[in-house]
């Protein structure tokens, strides 16, 4: 599926027949209108991607596609490289010394690892929620307003609107509306994680990457976050890494199952993508025996 | 349920014998070393307060420095207080921004490179340079060309403070958890933004208290001032030209004098210096508490 080339480095986009050109993000960018939703459109096209940390090959030959307004889940045992793949999708792995990517990742037609691509511009469109809630040591309000502020939004009224909208989207507004100027570190684990989600949504990203967002939370908080994911999926595309297979079946539309491949000769381990498809198919009618063993709980 | 007779007896009483003896020896050693540490500190404080308290007054802190032969109730150390404030403030202005920027470079930017390791190494070496050597260094590169001045003294003190500020800031920046940085990067922040809006605010209380400790240390230094400010008895509000004076150098001059009046003023000045250091410590605590409001 060929899409018009889009220049991520400047945020400028060549006119698309079905879309007006988007605003330039460097100039005080009001949350930029993203490429308009085109149901089922291709957001990521990952083509034969391998990731390295130094000389260690963490993941080999991953190819998959992420579709718009869907939740795509990455599942698999520990050490299979699902987090690594996730972090290459918004170039977070650039921050790890020695990390390297081979292969091609196209984001809405533009190559993510192209020569002129600025990781800053990439991350403004592709947000990330981490495994452990990491609110900044600032007030709840300042946590949510952080992203808009670094994008140049300083209008108090607009910031108020963004903060309220984001906290409502993250289903946190009612719990914190009376203490917006209290520290974000005073929240419980589940609330803090929803604050981090609100913080990510405040910049109106195109894609939200979630790295085991519920692994540090109790079942009730997990349920709240899953509800919230279903609520926001009509506006965002979500990729989630999870250890919890029930969670994948509950929320995701597509599932990618990763596994670890051991090379007997060199005694090294590397992650591989075993199977990728609709969630229902992966869990009810897996093609690969390894997938079957994993989803039925015989291997893990 | 009743314990049946054939169940083996469980011993939960405290162990006896050698293990308990070791515990007692270690406890006693710790208490003893604490007492040993506290004794000299207590004597210093006691003597200084006992001999200095009677002479300290507002008039003592502001009056001109009299000739050494005059009795204790005449004059004071006004010019030295002024000089210490001028020189320490200037040294702080030079050393703290430089040191914080240096530590930010080490931690956030080039720490792994050759230059980063060189800076870290030489800043550690600088910590070990005797303070009188700093004074001689400034004497040869500054005083010989531009003459004695408070500014020369401030430069010497800044050289002493710099490694302390770099070291303490470096430690504080290391404590900032990486997930915080990643959280900011994930929102599309540049490295400068991450540093300015997340890393430095998260570490600010530690940075400020480290800087204040460096200031307290510098305010009490005598040796670097000997060769740089000349230690006169007149007040000199102009820090950039002409000899100046400071509390530590006045203590040095007066304490080595044979006149009882001068010696009494030396005790008073010493107490003043301790009070200044104490105030700075308390300020460091307050600042720390204030900045940690959001980081419980």
């Amino acid at each position: 599926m060929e899409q018009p080339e889009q220049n991520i480095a400047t945020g400028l986009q060549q006119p698309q027949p079905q879309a007006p050109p988007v605003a330039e993000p460097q100039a005080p960018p009001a949350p930029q209108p993203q490429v308009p939703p085109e149901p089922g459109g291709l957001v990521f096209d990952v083509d034969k991607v391998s990731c390295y940390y130094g000389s260690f090959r963490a993941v080999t030959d991953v190819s998959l596609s992420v579709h718009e307004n869907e939740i795509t889940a990455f599942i698999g045992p520990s050490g299979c490289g699902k987090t690594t793949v996730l972090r290459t999708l918004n170039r977070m792995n650039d921050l790890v010394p020695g990390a390297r990517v081979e292969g091609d990742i196209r984001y809405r037609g533009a190559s993510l690892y192209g020569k002129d691509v600025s990781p800053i511009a990439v991350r403004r469109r592709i947000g990330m929620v981490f495994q452990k809630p990491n609110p900044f040591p600032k007030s709840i309000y300042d946590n949510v307003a952080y992203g808009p502020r670094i994008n140049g939004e300083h209008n108090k009224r607009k910031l108020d609107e963004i903060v309220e909208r984001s906290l409502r989207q993250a289903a946190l507004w009612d719990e914190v509306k009376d203490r917006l100027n209290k520290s974000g570190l005073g929240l419980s684990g589940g609330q803090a994680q929803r604050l981090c989600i609100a913080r990510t949504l405040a910049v109106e990203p195109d894609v939200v990457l979630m790295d085991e967002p519920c692994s540090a939370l109790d079942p009730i908080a997990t349920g709240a976050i899953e509800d919230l994911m279903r609520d926001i999926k009509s506006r965002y595309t979500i990729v989630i890494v999870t250890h919890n297979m029930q969670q994948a079946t509950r929320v995701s539309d597509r599932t990618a199952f990763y596994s670890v491949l051991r090379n007997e000769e060199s005694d090294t381990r590397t992650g591989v993508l075993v199977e990728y498809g609709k969630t229902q198919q992966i869990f009810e009618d897996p093609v690969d025996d390894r997938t079957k063993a994993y989803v039925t709980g015989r291997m893990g | 349920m009743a314990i049946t007779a054939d169940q083996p007896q469980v011993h939960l009483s405290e162990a006896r014998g050698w293990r308990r003896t070791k515990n007692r020896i270690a406890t006693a050693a710790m208490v003893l070393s604490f007492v040993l540490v506290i004794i000299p500190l207590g004597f210093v404080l006691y003597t200084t307060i006992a001999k200095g308290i009677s002479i300290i007054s507002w008039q003592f802190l502001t009056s001109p420095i009299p000739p050494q032969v005059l009795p204790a109730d005449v004059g004071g150390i006004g010019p030295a207080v002024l000089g210490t404030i001028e020189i320490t403030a200037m040294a702080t202005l030079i050393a703290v921004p430089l040191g914080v920027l240096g530590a930010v470079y080490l931690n956030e930017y080039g720490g792994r490179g050759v230059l980063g390791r060189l800076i870290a190494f030489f800043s550690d070496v600088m910590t070990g340079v005797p303070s009188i050597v700093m004074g001689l260094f400034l004497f040869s590169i500054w005083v010989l060309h531009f003459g004695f001045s408070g500014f020369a003294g401030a430069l010497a003190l800044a050289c002493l403070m710099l490694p302390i500020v770099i070291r303490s800031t470096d430690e504080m920046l290391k404590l900032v958890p990486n997930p915080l940085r990643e959280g900011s990067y994930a929102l599309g922040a540049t490295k400068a933004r991450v540093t300015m809006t997340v890393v430095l605010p998260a570490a600010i209380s530690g940075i400020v208290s480290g800087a204040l400790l460096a200031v307290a240390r510098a305010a009490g230094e005598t040796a670097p001032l000997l060769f740089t400010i000349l230690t006169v008895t007149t007040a000199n509000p102009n820090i950039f030209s002409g000899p100046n004076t400071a509390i530590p150098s006045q203590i040095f001059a007066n304490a080595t004098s044979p006149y009882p009046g001068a010696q009494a003023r030396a005790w008073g000045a010493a107490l003043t210096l301790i009070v200044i250091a104490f105030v700075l410590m308390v300020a460091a605590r307050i600042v720390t508490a204030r900045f940690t409001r959001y980081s419980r």
Side-chain angles (χ1 to χ4, degrees):
Chain A
M1 185 189 225
E2 201 53 41
Q3 286 191 358
E5 195 76 11
Q6 177 181 344
N7 189 344
I8 297 183
T10 61
L12 280 175
Q13 175 194 7
Q14 279 161 15
Q16 278 181 303
Q18 71 275 44
V22 289
E24 226 255 296
Q26 264 84 348
Q32 334 130 12
Q34 297 300 339
V35 180
E38 168 201 346
L42 206 56
V43 177
F44 287 111
D45 187 4
V46 180
D47 189 23
K48 296 206 188 67
V49 162
S50 302
C51 306
Y52 298 80
Y53 294 111
S55 60
F56 168 66
R57 184 160 67 173
V59 192
T60 308
D61 258 357
V62 171
S63 297
L64 56 82
S65 50
V66 172
H67 298 258
E68 196 156 52
N69 300 119
E70 286 191 353
I71 299 178
T72 304
F74 290 180
I75 61 168
S78 299
C80 67
K82 47 196 191 305
T83 295
T84 299
V85 174
L86 190 80
R87 288 169 61 97
T88 59
L89 294 182
N90 73 342
R91 299 198 50 171
M92 276 315 271
N93 264 2
D94 289 20
L95 302 174
V96 180
R100 197 155 53 78
V101 173
E102 277 175 13
D104 192 22
I105 302 179
R106 297 188 92 75
Y107 162 66
R108 295 196 181 275
S111 182
L112 264 191
Y113 285 81
K115 220 173 152 211
D116 297 329
V117 174
S118 142
I120 311 296
V122 169
R123 296 185 201 122
R124 286 191 181 177
R125 285 158 177 264
I126 306 171
M128 189 162 197
V129 177
F130 297 85
Q131 184 171 358
K132 276 171 96 181
N134 57 348
F136 300 135
K138 300 173 189 289
S139 70
I140 293 171
Y141 184 98
D142 289 340
N143 260 283
V144 182
Y146 183 85
R149 278 187 181 139
I150 64 173
N151 285 315
E153 182 59 73
H154 290 289
N155 182 320
K156 174 86 174 101
R157 232 186 47 239
K158 277 198 185 142
L159 283 177
D160 287 351
E161 277 169 29
I162 293 174
V163 168
E164 177 170 352
R165 186 199 41 155
S166 309
L167 285 170
R168 278 190 195 281
Q169 279 183 3
L172 190 61
W173 175 252
D174 290 331
E175 290 161 63
V176 300
K177 64 182 176 204
D178 299 322
R179 46 174 176 146
L180 290 177
N181 57 357
K182 293 271 163 56
S183 169
L185 300 185
L187 297 175
S188 72
Q191 289 175 325
Q193 191 63 296
R194 275 179 284 153
L195 177 65
C196 294
I197 295 175
R199 187 174 73 188
T200 305
L201 299 183
V203 294
E204 302 213 348
D206 182 23
V207 184
V208 180
L209 307 176
M210 295 182 159
D211 183 8
E212 299 183 38
C214 303
S215 66
L217 307 183
D218 67 55
I220 292 169
T222 302
I225 293 202
E226 287 176 9
D227 288 342
L228 138 72
M229 285 167 65
R230 278 186 286 262
D231 286 346
I232 63 174
K233 127 183 166 176
S234 58
R235 309 181 51 157
Y236 305 94
T237 303
I238 299 174
V239 183
I240 177 175
V241 165
T242 176
H243 261 127
N244 181 335
M245 284 187 279
Q246 283 73 38
Q247 183 169 56
T249 57
R250 282 193 299 260
V251 299
S252 72
D253 301 290
R254 282 171 213 264
T255 298
F257 170 63
Y258 294 79
S259 187
V260 182
L261 197 68
R262 247 192 96 185
N263 185 331
E264 299 293 344
E265 287 161 33
S266 57
D267 195 35
T268 52
R269 298 152 66 90
T270 180
V272 286
L273 175 63
V274 175
E275 194 172 349
Y276 177 54
K278 293 271 188 194
T279 299
Q280 201 180 1
Q281 178 255 312
I282 293 284
F283 281 92
E284 288 174 8
D285 186 23
V287 176
D288 197 288
D289 284 345
R290 287 171 289 175
T291 317
K292 193 175 284 172
Y294 189 76
V295 299
T296 53
R298 276 187 284 124
M299 168 207 139
Chain B
M1 204 192 284
I3 297 169
T4 48
D6 53 339
Q7 212 166 12
Q9 190 76 36
V10 181
H11 294 283
L12 295 175
S13 57
E14 204 187 325
R16 283 162 203 286
W18 180 224
R19 198 201 64 76
R20 182 181 265 194
T21 316
K22 273 195 293 186
N23 182 34
R24 287 198 175 138
I25 293 174
T27 311
M30 279 186 277
V31 171
L32 187 68
S33 40
F34 172 72
V35 171
L36 282 178
V37 167
I38 224 71
I39 286 174
L41 181 67
F43 269 116
V44 167
L45 273 180
Y46 173 76
T47 318
T48 319
I49 292 174
K51 300 208 176 191
I53 194 79
S54 58
I55 193 171
I56 282 197
S57 65
W58 181 248
Q59 178 246 332
F60 175 75
L61 293 178
T62 50
S63 300
I65 300 170
Q68 291 186 345
V69 288
L70 292 186
D73 54 351
V74 182
I77 54 165
V81 172
L82 176 70
T84 285
I85 292 174
E86 281 177 282
I87 294 167
T88 317
M90 178 57 76
T92 308
L93 280 181
I94 299 169
V96 169
L98 266 181
V100 170
L101 285 177
V104 164
Y105 175 79
L106 287 182
N107 245 288
E108 309 294 321
Y109 286 82
R112 277 170 233 273
V114 178
L115 182 63
R117 269 177 301 183
L118 268 179
I119 295 176
F121 176 72
F122 280 111
S123 116
D124 283 351
V125 171
M126 240 169 115
T127 321
V129 172
S131 54
I132 194 158
V133 175
M134 285 300 179
L136 283 170
F137 167 64
L138 259 296
F139 180 78
S140 62
I141 69 155
W142 187 273
V143 175
L144 288 181
H145 304 287
F146 306 106
F148 292 100
S149 69
F151 188 69
L155 282 176
L157 292 186
C159 288
L160 282 175
M161 289 169 70
L162 194 57
I164 307 177
V165 175
I166 290 181
R167 188 39 72 214
S168 64
T169 308
D170 191 42
E171 295 298 329
M172 290 303 130
L173 294 180
K174 279 203 185 100
L175 289 180
V176 176
N178 233 358
L180 279 187
R181 294 189 181 88
E182 290 199 329
S184 178
Y185 278 120
L187 292 165
T190 58
K191 190 170 243 184
R193 282 274 190 186
V194 174
T195 307
M196 292 295 296
T197 58
V198 172
V199 179
L200 284 178
I204 190 73
S205 61
I207 294 175
V208 171
S209 59
L212 283 174
L213 293 184
V215 172
R217 158 96 198 273
E221 279 289 348
T222 320
L225 299 180
L226 290 177
F227 303 100
T228 48
I229 65 170
L230 197 60
T231 312
V232 289
T233 51
T234 47
N236 180 0
N238 183 356
I239 189 172
F240 291 103
S241 95
N244 214 315
T245 183
I247 300 177
S249 15
Q250 280 308 322
I251 298 175
F252 180 69
N254 282 353
T256 50
S257 141
Y259 306 106
Q263 285 172 10
R265 280 189 291 275
W267 283 113
L271 184 56
T272 311
L273 206 51
I274 289 179
V275 169
I276 289 177
F278 180 76
V279 167
L280 283 171
M281 300 289 165
V282 172
R285 282 298 162 94
I286 293 173
V287 166
T288 311
R290 192 176 150 63
F291 278 120
T292 46
R293 207 165 27 138
Y294 283 132
S295 37
R296 274 169 293 138

